[in-house]
Amino acid sequence: MALLGHITSWEGKRTYIFRGREILTDQGGDAADAGAVASLDSLILQTCEDPACGSIGVMLDPAACAPEGYAFTAVPAYFFAHNDEENARAARMIGLARWLDANRFCSRCGQPLQLHGSESALACPACGSLYFPRIEPCIITLISRGDEILLLRNVRDRAGIYACLAGFVEIGETLEQALRREVLEETGLEVENIRYAGSQGWPFPDQLMIAFYADWKSGEIRIQESEIADARWFRRDALPPLPKPGSIAWRLINRRFNNH
Ligand SMILES: [Zn+2]
């Protein structure tokens, strides 16, 4: 599908206006409409349009201030307040806008890149190199041992939240290999019976979260202290603070106890 760098018409299209990792929202907490950027013209770094979802993405300069009646909201908080369909659109538009803003020149020959005519891609007019938006596959897994589940607190967490184990897929790995490696590295455990459980775009920055259930096979918890502050087995009646609804971690935990 074609992407347009310069918008020909804003009419009838959904608009997603970003400043870094924040989205401009109206008083109802929904994505601001095109009228909100009218006064911010000189602070627009990048615009893109995705005809497939009828949406326009706008990336503003970090110095942009919210117009009266609007506010900037952290994109994760926006996700927690909206449904999957809306979040997929917002994730796509922030991903495209940030990618276009960060990729202006060919990394092989240095020429300015142009939008490809028929793909969601950038093309180099000089050497023909093609650049596609970056997607970083990341596995996330909920491990069970009998009626207990394994939850972990990340060293960067400041809110006491225990979440599912997650990690990036290395080049050349299958998803299952990545999952077994990450589990072993972070907890010292071995798992088996890996089952696919859904996916979610998570543009912080460019992640595709691919979710699995798995069962404990062997080992005692031995955390990787550079990454994990704590990891424990929890029963349903004694769960710690969990990730918010809207995250795939929350969905994995919720489904595990409700119909799994
Ligand atoms: Zn080039």
Side-chain angles (χ1 to χ4, degrees), residues 105-113 123-129 131:
F105 298 94
C106 177
S107 61
R108 180 174 288 153
C109 76
Q111 289 298 305
L113 295 172
C124 176
C127 76
S129 293
Y131 297 87

Side-chain angles (χ1 to χ4, degrees), residues 4-25:
L4 306 178
H6 302 287
I7 311 302
T8 48
S9 164
W10 297 69
E11 210 127 306
K13 291 164 192 160
R14 292 171 195 273
T15 315
Y16 296 90
I17 302 158
F18 304 102
R19 181 183 71 179
R21 294 185 183 191
E22 297 170 304
I23 181 168
L24 192 65
T25 51

Side-chain angles (χ1 to χ4, degrees), residues 139-143 150 164-166 179 183 210-214 252:
I139 58 90
I140 180 165
T141 183
L142 184 65
I143 301 164
L150 181 74
C164 303
L165 188 149
L179 190 154
V183 172
I210 307 145
F212 297 90
Y213 288 108
L252 276 171

Side-chain angles (χ1 to χ4, degrees), residues 26-44:
D26 61 20
Q27 285 173 340
D30 292 322
D33 58 30
V37 278
S39 62
L40 296 170
D41 230 16
S42 62
L43 293 165
I44 293 176

Side-chain angles (χ1 to χ4, degrees), residues 45 86 146 187 195 242:
L45 295 178
E86 170 64 12
T187 67
R195 290 99 70 200
L242 297 176

